[in-house]
Amino acid sequence: MELFLAFSIGTLAGIITGCLPGIGTLSFLLICYPFLLQFDPIPLAICWVCSATISQYFGSVTGILFGIPGENSSLPSVKEGIALTSKNQVKEALLKTALGSFVGGMSCALLVLLCIPLATHFYQLLTTPVKGFLILVATCSLISVCDNRWYTNLLLIFAGLVLGKVGYNWGTAETFGTFGFTQLFGGIPVLPLMTALFTFPLLLQSPGKPTSKISMQIEFKDYWPYTVMMIKHRWQLLRGSAFGFISGFIPGMTYMVGSYLAYSNEKKLEINKKTYETGNMNCLVSSETANNGGAFSQVIPFLILGIPVAASEAFLYNMLEMKGIIVTDKFLFSLLYGVTIAAVLCNFLGVIFAGRYANFFANALKLDNKKFYVGIGLFLVIMCMYVGYTQFAFGLYMAVLVILLPFGYLMRKLDTMPLIFAFVMSDRIREVGGQIMASYIL
């Protein structure tokens, strides 16, 4: 029953977070934080992966219909999708992106299932120095991949490491940045920090009310002819799946990079053939295939290596620790089967709902989004108050939120993922840094 509940909640959350820009998987985890803590590890992981998988389907819907990317990785769908909509090809665009996402997601999920026995041997080869090296690679990759200048990413990582160091070190019996407050001995609480420095800046970037109205009808009978039509896009599907899987698998890249790589590669091929114009279906299909393929393959570094490469994974890592679970690589690896099966089921649901019921969501999205986001912001504040109260640290949670919110406002135009990653992984990054320095000195 708990597994079904987790699957249902994650699927519903994925639909909502995909349709509404700025409300990503991390925001869902933040909003449902006190309730998700009641789940056991496997249902918790399933809820998370369902939300992340389904959201990719519906991020494309808002991008094509309104020019509003529900996910950052859906930006290519905005440029090509809006042009296709203006050409009265909206039905074709929606069905082909849904089918392309299905192919990308399923191919990566099935590949993972087939490789799980081999992954055990792969895991045994990952000694501590190797894992340390990969953590270093992930950190360095964030500097070059995230949507900021490299020196800005470097400063954000440094800020995250400093914030992560705050507290009492039981090994050295030393304190850092506590200013004599004993409540800070356990470190800065992650919920108010992520609310202020990650979700709040995203909400500030959210668009207002859409102005266009689109009328169309997609029936179940439309799926078969469009599935047959996808054969002519077979090379776009293959290239998109490859770009998505590889970019998601490599720590620090994330599936957003795969989506852009697939789009750029396909656009270059079309330009070379002198067949490109804005509203190119091949570019749209390839980028969306890579998008959903990478959305799942990015869980592999987390579940096999214990390296969170996305903000939602970092937060999930923290939630498992708060439940008193010792988050080891073997423990995370044990979740892989359940998460993969859940992802397969979500891909079937996604391809149905994102196509057949796209018109329903188009009408439902005729809302004043800004008022909705204000409501989300207020709800997150209430969640901080509630969790702070249950953790007997109400004053600390409120103080951290109030102090960091102005910094979140100042960073509203930045991608703060490097800061969040460095904050959550600060202990392991410092450990790796210490090992490198010790080896260099020796």
Side-chain angles (χ1 to χ4, degrees), residues 84-288:
L84 288 167
T85 299
S86 66
K87 298 177 182 179
N88 294 321
Q89 293 180 269
V90 60
K91 181 176 180 178
E92 181 181 358
L94 287 170
L95 278 171
K96 285 188 174 180
T97 53
L99 291 168
S101 295
F102 178 78
V103 171
M106 287 294 292
S107 60
C108 288
L110 293 176
L111 183 61
V112 170
L113 281 174
L114 292 173
C115 294
I116 283 179
L118 298 177
T120 304
H121 301 290
F122 176 69
Y123 167 75
Q124 293 173 350
L125 298 175
L126 295 174
T127 59
T128 299
V130 174
K131 286 183 284 186
F133 172 74
L134 291 175
I135 292 174
L136 182 63
V137 169
T139 306
C140 294
S141 297
L142 286 171
I143 297 174
S144 59
V145 169
C146 290
D147 295 333
N148 309 306
R149 296 184 182 276
W150 68 268
Y151 52 82
T152 302
N153 289 328
L154 192 60
L155 289 173
L156 288 172
I157 289 175
F158 178 75
L161 290 174
V162 172
L163 292 172
K165 187 175 173 59
V166 172
Y168 180 80
N169 190 319
W170 296 95
T172 61
E174 297 177 346
T175 60
F176 176 83
T178 61
F179 303 102
F181 293 102
T182 55
Q183 282 191 314
L184 279 173
F185 278 20
I188 298 175
V190 68
L191 178 60
L193 182 140
M194 285 193 171
T195 299
L197 300 183
F198 189 85
T199 303
F200 181 58
L202 282 179
L203 294 177
L204 291 176
Q205 300 170 17
S206 302
K209 184 178 179 180
T211 55
S212 61
K213 182 173 178 63
I214 300 168
S215 180
M216 55 153 190
Q217 188 65 38
I218 296 176
E219 303 288 347
F220 284 119
K221 64 182 180 181
D222 296 322
Y223 275 86
W224 175 246
Y226 277 94
T227 300
V228 175
M229 290 171 60
M230 292 298 287
I231 296 175
K232 72 176 184 180
H233 296 292
R234 58 189 179 278
W235 296 113
Q236 287 76 30
L237 295 172
L238 180 61
R239 287 190 288 265
S241 298
F243 275 116
F245 183 84
I246 293 171
S247 65
F249 184 79
I250 297 175
M253 286 190 69
T254 76
Y255 57 87
M256 185 174 68
V257 176
S259 179
Y260 284 114
L261 287 174
Y263 174 75
S264 300
N265 178 71
E266 213 60 47
K267 183 176 179 180
K268 183 178 179 181
L269 292 174
E270 293 293 320
I271 290 174
N272 290 339
K273 292 187 294 184
K274 298 182 180 180
T275 56
Y276 177 79
E277 62 178 16
T278 304
N280 187 281
M281 192 65 71
N282 287 338
C283 293
L284 181 63
V285 169
S286 186
S287 65
E288 288 304 311

Side-chain angles (χ1 to χ4, degrees), residues 10-39:
T11 300
L12 179 61
I15 294 173
I16 296 172
T17 57
C19 286
L20 297 171
I23 309 299
T25 304
L26 176 61
S27 299
F28 155 66
L29 292 176
L30 290 171
I31 292 170
C32 301
Y33 184 74
F35 311 106
L36 294 178
L37 282 176
Q38 308 304 316
F39 283 149

Side-chain angles (χ1 to χ4, degrees), residues 420-437:
I420 301 300
F421 177 85
F423 173 75
V424 175
M425 300 292 292
S426 59
D427 290 340
R428 299 180 72 175
I429 292 174
R430 286 198 300 271
E431 180 183 355
V432 171
Q435 291 173 351
I436 293 175
M437 289 184 65

Side-chain angles (χ1 to χ4, degrees), residues 25 48-58 292 295-296 342-343 346-347:
T25 304
W48 157 66
V49 79
C50 288
S51 175
T53 301
I54 291 289
S55 66
Q56 301 308 313
Y57 284 92
F58 289 94
N292 214 46
F296 179 72
C346 279
N347 274 290

Side-chain angles (χ1 to χ4, degrees), residues 376-406:
I376 290 294
L378 292 175
F379 188 76
L380 285 173
V381 171
I382 294 172
M383 284 296 100
C384 287
M385 296 171 66
Y386 174 78
V387 175
Y389 175 78
T390 58
Q391 298 292 322
F392 303 100
F394 179 84
L396 175 62
Y397 272 62
M398 290 297 96
V400 170
L401 184 65
V402 170
I403 291 172
L404 293 182
L405 275 175

